[in-house]
Amino acid sequence: MDNWSNCGKCNFSRESLLELPCCSALFCKNCLISTSRCPKCGSFFDIKDCIVYIALQATLSELFVNCKYEGCNYLCHKLLYDFHLTNCVHRPESPIDLLDPSYIPRDELKLRKKNNIVQSYSKLFGSQDPQVHVILPSDTLVGIALRYNVTVGSIKRLNGFYHNNIHCYDTLKIPSNFQLLVPPSANKLTEDELAELFRKRLVSKLKFVTKLQSENEAQFYLEDCLYDYDAALKLVTEDIDWEKHNPIPINHSIQNNTKSIPIDSKKPNQNKTIINSSSSVTPTCFCLPL
């Protein structure tokens, strides 16, 4: 993509190029104005028949702009730029915001999210049982077995799986005869790191339960509900039910505007097949849209 704005002859980067009608090659005007043959295929051409081609980077740079607030690298479309500035999390708070009764201060909003994350995670995965291990992103099945001084097979049998991919789960049960070899303080996380870990687990859990297509979609629902898992699950369920009862209509115009055409139109006699009541042979043909 970096070479799309470069001339095929002089290799100079241009804001706009000319696309030749013969082979669709791209050259700058300076290279084509002095010749009547295509530099690529050698065909004759008229410069008036060339199409002005604007590089994709130049087009995107005109449509998208970066957020002006410090710390935000969000690339936004111009039509949505004002909306993003109003809702950007990096936007400095102003006294006018505090006058709005529905406005929630940023620190209070952050605290609400953190409390909802901890409460939702405690309902779903919380356990005071020391034989339950919360899986971290850096954990491996062998590492957990070595830490608790148990065998890999015993962990698999107790949790009911036979593969080594533990990151599709949130917690693992440890056999009762474990002996913790690594002190818990070695893996101690800060409050913010633990909240971030819980947040990722909630996103993965919502995506798995509701069969959403991506974690970004699950995160959108959780963000909209301030990471209240039950409220987000209810919202996703309502949207899925609405999509089931309001399906997208299928356009049958393509099927109605089709015609059966023989494969070899030059020799139609060879493609004709006489079908009798006792014959099961079908004519060889395919459908093309009109």
Side-chain angles (χ1 to χ4, degrees):
M1 283 181 68
D2 296 335
N3 297 327
W4 283 11
S5 60
N6 294 350
C7 174
K9 186 176 181 180
C10 63
N11 205 28
F12 285 167
S13 180
R14 308 289 186 183
E15 292 184 359
S16 63
L17 301 173
L18 295 178
E19 181 178 347
L20 296 179
C22 53
C23 59
S24 300
L26 300 176
F27 301 96
C28 64
K29 187 176 181 180
N30 296 336
C31 293
L32 297 179
I33 202 170
S34 59
T35 180
S36 59
R37 282 181 175 271
C38 175
K40 183 178 181 180
C41 63
S43 303
F44 289 95
F45 71 94
D46 188 354
I47 197 170
K48 296 180 181 180
D49 298 331
C50 297
I51 303 173
V52 179
Y53 176 86
I54 301 177
L56 181 62
Q57 292 88 343
T59 305
L60 293 179
S61 63
E62 294 178 359
L63 295 177
F64 295 90
V65 290
N66 288 317
C67 181
K68 67 177 183 180
Y69 294 126
E70 184 179 358
C72 182
N73 299 322
Y74 186 74
L75 190 64
C76 181
H77 195 278
K78 284 185 176 181
L79 297 176
L80 303 174
Y81 184 66
D82 294 336
F83 176 79
H84 169 73
L85 293 181
T86 305
N87 298 276
C88 182
V89 296
H90 297 276
R91 179 178 65 87
E93 290 183 315
S94 63
I96 300 178
D97 296 331
L98 301 178
L99 297 176
D100 187 1
S102 61
Y103 179 77
I104 303 176
R106 192 161 299 164
D107 295 337
E108 182 180 350
L109 186 64
K110 184 178 180 181
L111 184 60
R112 285 189 187 182
K113 287 183 179 181
K114 184 182 293 186
N115 291 336
N116 289 337
I117 288 173
V118 175
Q119 292 177 6
S120 298
Y121 191 88
S122 300
K123 290 180 182 179
L124 294 174
F125 312 109
S127 176
Q128 301 298 327
D129 190 354
Q131 299 178 14
V132 175
H133 175 81
V134 178
I135 300 175
L136 301 177
S138 58
D139 283 342
T140 60
L141 184 59
V142 177
I144 294 175
L146 292 175
R147 177 181 176 182
Y148 291 97
N149 195 21
V150 294
T151 62
V152 173
S154 62
I155 296 178
K156 290 183 177 181
R157 286 191 298 270
L158 182 61
N159 291 274
F161 63 87
Y162 302 96
H163 51 80
N164 296 325
N165 183 18
I166 62 173
H167 292 284
C168 57
Y169 306 99
D170 300 287
T171 58
L172 281 180
K173 295 179 181 179
I174 305 300
S176 57
N177 60 341
F178 75 96
Q179 181 182 0
L180 189 61
L181 299 181
V182 181
S185 58
N187 252 347
K188 188 175 181 180
L189 300 175
T190 63
E191 184 179 349
D192 292 338
E193 292 174 344
L194 197 60
E196 178 64 18
L197 174 63
F198 290 169
R199 186 192 68 81
K200 292 180 180 179
R201 294 304 183 199
L202 289 176
V203 172
S204 301
K205 181 69 174 180
L206 184 64
K207 175 181 177 293
F208 175 77
V209 171
T210 57
K211 308 298 182 183
L212 293 175
Q213 295 182 356
S214 65
E215 291 188 352
N216 292 333
E217 193 175 359
Q219 182 177 343
F220 169 79
Y221 284 101
L222 287 170
E223 284 280 355
D224 191 43
C225 299
L226 296 181
Y227 283 91
D228 186 346
Y229 181 85
D230 294 335
L233 181 61
K234 181 180 178 181
L235 188 60
V236 175
T237 305
E238 290 177 354
D239 287 351
I240 293 176
D241 291 341
W242 184 90
E243 291 177 357
K244 288 181 179 179
H245 292 87
N246 299 273
I248 300 175
I250 301 175
N251 189 2
H252 298 281
S253 60
I254 298 179
Q255 298 179 1
N256 297 332
N257 295 330
T258 57
K259 184 178 180 181
S260 180
I261 301 176
I263 294 178
D264 189 2
S265 59
K266 295 182 180 179
K267 301 177 181 180
N269 295 331
Q270 295 181 2
N271 291 322
K272 289 183 178 179
T273 305
I274 300 175
I275 303 177
N276 299 325
S277 58
S278 60
S279 175
S280 61
V281 182
T282 57
T284 305
C285 63
F286 65 101
C287 295
L288 289 177
L290 291 178

